[in-house]
Amino acid sequence: MKKFAVCIATAILISMAGFPLFGQQYVAPPVEISQSKVRIADVVYYEHTVKAKQTLFSICKAYNVTVTEVTELNADKLSDGLKIGDVLLIPVRVEAPSTEEETNAEKEKSGLGKVASAAGEKISTFIESLKGPEDTRMENNTKGYIFHRVKWFENMSVIARRYGVEAEAIRTLNGLADNTLTAGQMLKIPMDVLQGGTGDWSESGVDTTTAITATLSPALSDTTATVAVSRREPVLRPYKGAQNIGLILPFSSRQANPSTNFLDFYSGVLMALDEIKETGTDVNLTVIDASLYDSAEDLVEECDLQRFDFVIGHFGADDLEVVASCCDTLCIPLVSPMDQKLEPAALTHPFLISIPVGQSALSYSLAESLDYESERDNVLLVYENGDGESALCRSISSSLDSIGIPFTRFSYGIVSGRNISSTLKGHLSSSRRNHVIVCSEKESFASDAYRNLSLLAREYDLTVYGNHKIRSFESIEQEALQATKAHFSLGFYVDYTDDATKSFVRKYRALFASEPTPFAFQGHDTALYMMKAMKQFGPDMIYGLESFHCNLLQLSIELERMDGSSSGLVNHGSRDIIYRDRFTVECN
């Protein structure tokens, strides 16, 4: 019944807010005449990017050319059949104006996220270009040269290294006075002096931070702009424009039972949108059901991610690699909101933001919460026999060591649990505060440890710390948690006594006729944090997130670079809760 209510209520809210839930269900695109053209040996060609369900016949019909013409012109690409993403050359019947006739018409766009747009390349050709420039062999090789179309990120030294040719030889053959190049320009590369280039510009030692003057062809843009690939100083300033957000989740909308968890997450996002709009911020939300695409490559190809200021999306590890690579290329923040196992991906993706808090950060937060003083504190790690080298024990031990907190260890077997109290006493101090950390994710052992420690709490000044999973163990009685003043560092926690939480719950009930789940709170907090950051810092907000904080309902987001400037951002924020008397919980 809850699933049905959530689905119906979500649909109602969408119709009110104007956001179509599954508006992105795939419809075969019509064959549209490309706006991208290239001039080769005084002949102008369209550059047509093949989309899903297009055929060679439908493409040729749209351009009013014969299949034979296109097949002969693109023989190298069509040898293995027509594939999505292929860029076909199609003859134009009328000459297009030269690039020299173009004027500076387009206003300069702000934000690193607009680099690809400024270069005027569609996402498929833009990403393909980063894999390594390919020579365009449109002339008979007996003429002694091949053609290369200049990409927006290339300069003369890039191309010379690519083909193993002296820059002077390229200038001479093309009648160039200097090394100035323009994006889309066709260069003749002399074959008689080719020395076997690397075939991969990224491994040739090329300085990709060089700024190039990109006078774009009519088909690409009306802009003449200097494009800096990197090292541009980010501009962080309040932003009043509309925010364009992409939300990509596997809703499974075509199945009989769509994912209620992701519907709840989406409902939380809509709540955040309503909240940010009350501050006068305009937001355009595009919802994409990832389950409608056969692969992440298809999704990236067809969804044109460069139109977004940032993307919130849940993916498996392999799909995340594909989408994160695309967002890195386009300089668009990609927020991974749910799976902490994906946090390591931020090590190699500078525009990836991982929201779930990892175990190492939670262990460090737990260690910090001990408020250790050497003269009056005794710290003890308790774990089951054989678990001393478990990932959890290593993580907590490492955190204690890094802070400089000395500790002792005690382990026992679950079979001897009933008779362990007297032995455990030997590791506790009657004159000092005892901080006992239960290092276990096993319910049976954790339950036994808390039972024993709750009995000893009558004799000792005792506080027990545990892994976040322990809170969900049904066999641990609340009385034991209170007796031991149980302390947990959590990646997420909702304080239902907070006024803001109460207001959220009331609104959620009114809109969806159900209770908000942790997924709804997660969607609200993730979207609200990013939208507020965008409002404060603008399109370059990723460079200001480490210093940005705001009050949220379930999360504490404190972002840090994982490993220097070349890595992405991970969340180290946690919520500390302590069990108090009279069945109360204190949240810090």
Side-chain angles (χ1 to χ4, degrees):
M1 185 64 184
K2 177 178 180 291
K3 295 180 180 178
F4 178 77
V6 170
C7 293
I8 294 299
T10 301
I12 294 173
L13 180 57
I14 294 162
S15 64
M16 294 169 58
F19 298 127
L21 174 56
F22 301 122
Q24 284 70 37
Q25 292 191 17
Y26 179 75
V27 178
V31 179
E32 298 180 355
I33 303 300
S34 173
Q35 297 299 307
S36 179
K37 300 176 185 177
V38 63
R39 184 189 301 273
I40 302 176
D42 295 327
V43 179
V44 178
Y45 299 90
Y46 288 109
E47 289 185 308
H48 176 82
T49 301
V50 179
K51 295 183 179 180
K53 296 190 177 182
Q54 291 183 349
T55 65
L56 194 57
F57 176 79
S58 65
I59 293 170
C60 293
K61 183 178 179 181
Y63 285 91
N64 193 28
V65 296
T66 66
V67 173
T68 301
E69 285 181 283
V70 175
T71 302
E72 292 178 351
L73 196 56
N74 300 273
D76 54 337
K77 292 184 178 179
L78 296 176
S79 59
D80 296 325
L82 190 66
K83 299 183 291 295
I84 296 175
D86 281 347
V87 180
L88 303 180
L89 292 176
I90 299 176
V92 178
R93 302 307 183 192
V94 181
E95 284 282 328
S98 65
T99 57
E100 288 75 18
E101 296 172 342
E102 293 301 308
T103 59
N104 306 333
E106 185 177 321
K107 183 179 179 181
E108 182 178 358
K109 298 181 180 180
S110 63
L112 286 173
K114 304 302 184 292
V115 170
S117 177
E121 300 213 52
K122 292 186 180 295
I123 191 167
S124 57
T125 55
F126 179 68
I127 295 174
E128 188 65 28
S129 70
L130 293 184
K131 297 178 182 178
E134 298 180 358
D135 54 303
T136 307
R137 303 175 184 272
M138 299 309 301
E139 290 285 343
N140 190 311
N141 288 342
T142 59
K143 292 188 176 182
Y145 57 83
I146 58 175
F147 278 106
H148 174 87
R149 184 165 66 90
V150 179
K151 308 297 190 298
W152 66 270
F153 54 80
E154 293 178 313
N155 56 27
M156 182 65 80
S157 63
V158 170
I159 298 170
R161 288 193 189 96
R162 158 70 173 92
Y163 293 102
V165 177
E166 292 293 334
E168 183 180 357
I170 298 177
R171 290 197 303 269
T172 301
L173 182 59
N174 290 273
L176 301 177
D178 53 34
N179 288 335
T180 302
L181 299 176
T182 59
Q185 178 180 352
M186 296 302 298
L187 282 181
K188 297 176 183 178
I189 309 297
M191 291 190 64
D192 56 341
V193 294
L194 286 179
Q195 300 172 8
T198 64
D200 187 352
W201 68 275
S202 64
E203 297 178 359
S204 62
V206 175
D207 179 10
T208 59
T209 64
T210 302
I212 62 172
T213 300
T215 306
L216 307 179
S217 67
L220 296 177
S221 174
D222 292 330
T223 305
T224 301
T226 297
V227 182
V229 179
S230 64
R231 293 184 186 173
R232 180 182 69 76
E233 285 297 321
V235 178
L236 301 178
R237 60 190 176 200
Y239 182 73
K240 297 182 180 180
Q243 299 185 21
N244 297 299
I245 306 171
L247 179 64
I248 307 176
L249 297 173
F251 289 104
S252 302
S253 58
R254 288 181 176 173
Q255 297 182 9
N257 298 308
S259 170
T260 55
N261 289 341
F262 293 119
L263 282 172
D264 288 348
F265 186 94
Y266 174 50
S267 300
V269 172
L270 291 179
M271 294 282 287
L273 261 63
D274 184 64
E275 186 173 334
I276 198 73
K277 283 188 174 183
E278 291 179 356
T279 67
T281 300
D282 190 17
V283 179
N284 300 315
L285 177 68
T286 300
V287 184
I288 298 170
D289 184 356
S291 68
L292 300 182
Y293 297 86
D294 293 333
S295 67
E297 289 82 359
D298 288 347
L299 187 153
V300 165
E301 175 69 26
E302 296 180 31
C303 291
D304 190 20
L305 301 186
Q306 65 181 328
R307 58 193 162 131
F308 302 127
D309 293 307
F310 62 88
V311 173
I312 299 174
H314 177 75
F315 306 95
D318 292 340
D319 289 345
L320 179 67
E321 181 66 27
V322 173
V323 180
S325 296
C326 173
C327 288
D328 288 341
T329 298
L330 299 174
C331 301
I332 299 172
L334 171 64
V335 184
S336 177
M338 298 185 194
D339 192 349
Q340 68 173 0
K341 295 179 182 178
L342 300 177
E343 180 184 277
L347 189 62
T348 54
H349 294 289
F351 280 82
L352 180 62
I353 302 170
S354 180
I355 296 298
V357 185
Q359 181 57 60
S360 60
L362 292 176
S363 295
Y364 190 84
S365 177
L366 184 149
E368 281 192 316
S369 68
L370 266 60
D371 189 26
Y372 176 80
E373 295 181 17
S374 60
E375 298 298 324
R376 63 174 186 153
D377 291 315
N378 173 52
V379 181
L380 175 66
L381 264 63
V382 176
Y383 50 87
E384 190 172 11
N385 289 341
D387 283 351
E389 292 302 316
S390 67
L392 178 60
C393 279
R394 290 199 308 270
S395 177
I396 292 177
S397 299
S398 176
S399 296
L400 293 170
D401 287 337
S402 66
I403 297 175
I405 298 178
F407 59 91
T408 57
R409 296 171 177 263
F410 176 70
S411 67
Y412 69 94
I414 187 67
V415 176
S416 58
R418 291 289 174 181
N419 305 310
I420 206 66
S421 293
S422 59
T423 307
L424 184 56
K425 287 182 179 181
H427 293 271
L428 301 177
S429 172
S430 59
S431 60
R432 304 165 71 191
R433 298 188 307 181
N434 295 281
H435 303 278
V436 181
I437 304 175
V438 178
C439 296
S440 179
E441 294 181 326
K442 300 176 182 177
E443 183 166 1
S444 58
F445 179 81
S447 178
D448 186 80
Y450 271 87
R451 179 186 60 80
N452 282 300
L453 290 167
S454 66
L455 297 174
L456 295 175
R458 303 168 186 173
E459 306 176 40
Y460 298 90
D461 184 355
L462 188 66
T463 301
V464 180
Y465 302 76
N467 177 265
H468 65 96
K469 291 185 178 180
I470 290 177
R471 292 188 65 250
S472 63
F473 294 160
E474 296 180 356
S475 59
I476 300 180
E477 298 180 352
Q478 292 293 308
E479 289 82 356
L481 296 176
Q482 290 179 348
T484 58
K485 295 173 286 189
H487 190 127
F488 301 97
S489 291
L490 309 176
F492 59 90
Y493 177 78
V494 178
D495 181 5
Y496 284 93
T497 66
D498 180 70
D499 290 339
T501 301
K502 292 178 181 178
S503 176
F504 177 87
V505 172
R506 286 194 297 268
K507 291 180 180 179
Y508 194 94
R509 288 171 177 169
L511 287 169
F512 301 107
S514 64
E515 295 297 313
T517 67
F519 290 94
F521 283 106
Q522 194 82 358
H524 169 273
D525 286 2
T526 301
L528 187 63
Y529 177 87
M530 293 299 295
M531 289 187 293
K532 284 189 173 182
M534 176 82 178
K535 185 175 182 178
Q536 177 165 327
F537 296 125
D540 287 348
M541 65 177 172
I542 196 166
Y543 299 100
L545 292 181
E546 289 182 270
S547 63
F548 181 71
H549 307 281
C550 65
N551 293 327
L552 302 170
L553 302 179
Q554 176 172 268
L555 300 175
S556 293
I557 300 182
E558 298 177 9
L559 297 176
E560 298 180 17
R561 289 283 173 188
M562 195 170 188
D563 184 26
S565 60
S566 62
S567 66
L569 295 161
V570 296
N571 185 18
H572 288 172
S574 64
R575 296 198 167 186
D576 296 335
I577 66 167
I578 305 172
Y579 282 77
R580 300 298 190 188
D581 294 334
R582 299 181 181 180
F583 298 97
T584 59
V585 177
E586 176 184 322
C587 179
N588 299 318

